[in-house]
Amino acid sequence: MPRAAAARHSQFQLIEEGRIPMFQGDSIRVSALDDGFVELCFDRKDDAINKFDKRTVSELQRAITSASAHEGLRGVLITSAKQSFIVGADIGGFGALFSKPQQEVMSSNMASNRVFHALEELPVPVVVAINGFALGGGLEAALAADYRVMAQDAQVGLPEVKLGLFPGFGGTVRLPRVAGIEVALRWILGGEPSRAPAAEKARVVDFIASPESLRDTSLDVLRSAARGELGWRARRSAKLGPVQIEGGDTNAVFEEAKRTLVARMPKHQPAAMSALELLREAMSLDRDGALALEAAAFAKIAKTQAAGSLVQIFLSEQQVKKTAKRHASSGRRVQRAAVVGAGIMGGGIAFTSASRGIPVMMKDIAQGQLDLGIGEARKLLGKQVTAGRLAQDKADGVLASIVPQLNYQEFNTADVIVEAVVENLQIKHKVLRELEDAGRPDAVIASNTSSLRIDDLAAPLARPENFVGMHFFNPVPMMPLVEVIRGAKTSDAAVGTVVSYALSMGKTPIVVRDGPGFLVNRILTPYMQAFGRLLADGADYQQVDAAMEAFGWPMGPAYLNDVVGMDTGVHVGEIISAGFPERLRRTWKDPLQVMVAHARLGQKNGLGFYRYEISPTGKPVKHPDPVAVVLLQEVQTNGPSTFTDVEIVERMMLPLIIESALCLEEGVVASAAELDMALLLGVGLPSYLGGALKYADWLGLDRVIELSERYAALGPQYRATPTMRSMARERRKYY
């Protein structure tokens, strides 16, 4: 139906429903109801959701003006025609806004807030009907109304802190005046959504209705308010002054919130603490004074590295999801799977598949391994049952859908077969040939390998087009990333089928090109080489760990090697370095090899860079070990040396940035967003960086080139690429 005709049809439908059109925009329409009531409905054209962008905020002002001009106006009902009320602000527009000077960001927020003022200052009661989700700006708009009616299945919240921000449309001002300072602290600093009962208990919403009766109930509330039965004027007046204190020690409330925040706040993400201080400072002011403080504080936090990075992560997640769905459309849906190898990885893959509703056969050559695999699945399910996340009968069903076996019986029923045997080319060749014989001709065979090239593995296969890499990260049930590796002969259908399978398992699949180390391990290799070179140059590994953890990594490189396993690190590092003999050559003695030579393998045998003892809860606890310090003297040919934490961070991070740039330039991965998301999900790169390439943008490529020249004597790992130099000259960025 043509757009103009559709608009006329919509108007006729409204008239039939007793709603007389008064204003029609692209995001909002206003209709006259009976008895002097007006409905303002959010209904964004050509979109499945409502969100606040510049257009919607502008239209809201015009819609309010239209409603207020209605003769005999007695009340305004605010609704949504979508499945959700308003999901928040238009995050895609944040980049352009945040790139402006701080004063302009503040002015923009103040201008938007004047629209919410106009809503709050209508001379009649305003009731909002909340369906689906009202998040961020959606809840902030609802807080400007006098009463909030919430559907039983809806959710509301202020999640901005997860984007490195806090509410900027009046949320820090109106929420404490509506629900009290304790609720405001909990909701704004935590960022979690709340369901209807919790929102009503917190006094954030006033009434709950069934989804079917939401509009009628909201209209009844509006009529009651218009008749003077609910005291809406007094309620509105309370929102215009300082926060009302209902007894108790407010300072104690803030100090307790601060202690909790310090204990769990991610490094280098200042938004939550800034919001706490803003709430403390603004609670004694009137609405307008508090809103001015909010606008200034929001503009300041919007210019931080964390805000820019976390917003980019949100946008990158959306891009990665769309890309994965596009790949999946080339494949087929997996109904049944098989896994060969019941070790830690194979067992984890089988469990994850079954727990997501995809039955799986798990084959091994040893009954003991099968027993271990099933035992691990039983233990993981038991934890979920104990925690109340899974009913026992459901857990039993998941376990029953994992079929352990010592042969290839019924492997010809599997859509995807995942090979997860030992990282040995000859053994994998033997198993892969067996899988081609045992499986259907159209079955996709995926190798879970972290270091062997897919083209090398595919060499003996009759159908290499059906072969693909599927690199899971350990522990499989917890780690979200799966690298899907396309070999030279891998078909789009095989890639699509494995991507579809990974999505069904709740994973984030990222398609990469075959090559030594694929993507994540390749990028991590020069980072680990930088650690080895630092130790060889005399650095203290405990200082390196402390510096990198202070920088934001969940664990420093020495501790990480202990967790992964020193022998594993040596093996993977050698394979990847051999693939790039010129650039990743090592000219120093490897500290990891020294550790392995002295049977110090890390947590797996209790001795590595650190010494480990098992806690009463069964977790390994690390302790400094003087023996490791003595052993490392073997690689420090010039003795110990002193480095600043800044030098340590620069020497560790620069090779990681340069290798990331190379991977993008060589087409190992299709986009900066996919590369950075792989690092964030696969190795725990600090979120406030936004990824290696986002971090390069934050530093500025001219600064990256400057660091490259300073450290160039350390080796090719530190030398920026010609493309990076060109981008620096032209002031270009990766995003």
Side-chain angles (χ1 to χ4, degrees), residues 229-287:
E229 297 170 359
L230 297 179
W232 65 272
R233 296 181 189 276
R235 169 178 282 239
R236 182 179 293 184
S237 177
K239 285 200 293 176
L240 300 180
V243 175
Q244 296 179 3
I245 306 301
E246 299 178 352
D249 185 350
T250 304
N251 283 331
V253 170
F254 274 100
E255 289 307 309
E256 178 59 29
K258 189 172 184 176
R259 281 192 294 272
T260 302
L261 193 57
V262 168
R264 63 173 175 79
M265 186 169 62
K267 290 184 176 70
H268 312 297
Q269 294 188 29
M273 190 62 73
S274 296
L276 183 147
E277 297 303 332
L278 170 63
L279 287 162
R280 189 199 295 262
E281 187 177 357
M283 64 180 296
S284 62
L285 303 178
D286 64 12
R287 181 199 67 179

Side-chain angles (χ1 to χ4, degrees), residues 178-393:
V178 166
I181 199 68
E182 290 188 56
V183 170
L185 285 166
R186 189 167 68 250
W187 281 43
I188 292 171
L189 305 188
E192 298 297 330
S194 292
R195 297 186 180 275
E200 184 183 39
K201 183 178 180 181
R203 297 182 302 171
V204 176
V205 301
D206 304 289
F207 305 95
I208 298 176
S210 68
E212 299 78 20
S213 65
L214 176 64
R215 185 176 180 278
D216 288 343
T217 300
S218 302
L219 197 51
D220 287 343
V221 171
L222 182 60
R223 293 181 190 280
S224 294
R227 290 194 296 267
E229 297 170 359
L230 297 179
W232 65 272
R233 296 181 189 276
R235 169 178 282 239
R236 182 179 293 184
S237 177
K239 285 200 293 176
L240 300 180
V243 175
Q244 296 179 3
I245 306 301
E246 299 178 352
D249 185 350
T250 304
N251 283 331
V253 170
F254 274 100
E255 289 307 309
E256 178 59 29
K258 189 172 184 176
R259 281 192 294 272
T260 302
L261 193 57
V262 168
R264 63 173 175 79
M265 186 169 62
K267 290 184 176 70
H268 312 297
Q269 294 188 29
M273 190 62 73
S274 296
L276 183 147
E277 297 303 332
L278 170 63
L279 287 162
R280 189 199 295 262
E281 187 177 357
M283 64 180 296
S284 62
L285 303 178
D286 64 12
R287 181 199 67 179
D288 291 350
L291 284 169
L293 277 185
E294 180 192 84
F298 181 89
K300 183 177 180 180
I301 210 72
K303 301 295 289 184
T304 61
Q305 181 180 8
S309 294
L310 293 171
V311 166
Q312 183 57 60
I313 289 171
F314 177 87
L315 298 173
S316 294
E317 284 176 336
Q318 306 308 306
Q319 180 181 331
V320 166
K321 287 177 183 177
K322 289 179 182 177
T323 301
K325 288 180 181 177
R326 188 172 68 248
H327 282 299
S329 67
S330 300
R332 64 176 182 272
R333 187 168 175 269
V334 175
Q335 306 283 348
R336 194 178 191 199
V339 176
V340 180
I344 293 174
M345 295 298 288
I349 295 166
F351 165 78
T352 306
S353 180
S355 65
R356 289 286 179 153
I358 301 173
V360 60
M361 297 167 280
M362 183 171 65
K363 192 262 184 193
D364 203 283
I365 58 173
Q367 183 61 48
Q369 285 294 103
L370 291 174
D371 294 341
L372 283 173
I374 290 294
E376 183 66 16
R378 185 178 287 110
K379 183 173 72 175
L380 290 167
L381 289 165
K383 288 181 179 178
Q384 292 190 30
V385 171
T386 301
R389 294 192 298 269
L390 193 67
Q392 185 62 56
D393 61 331

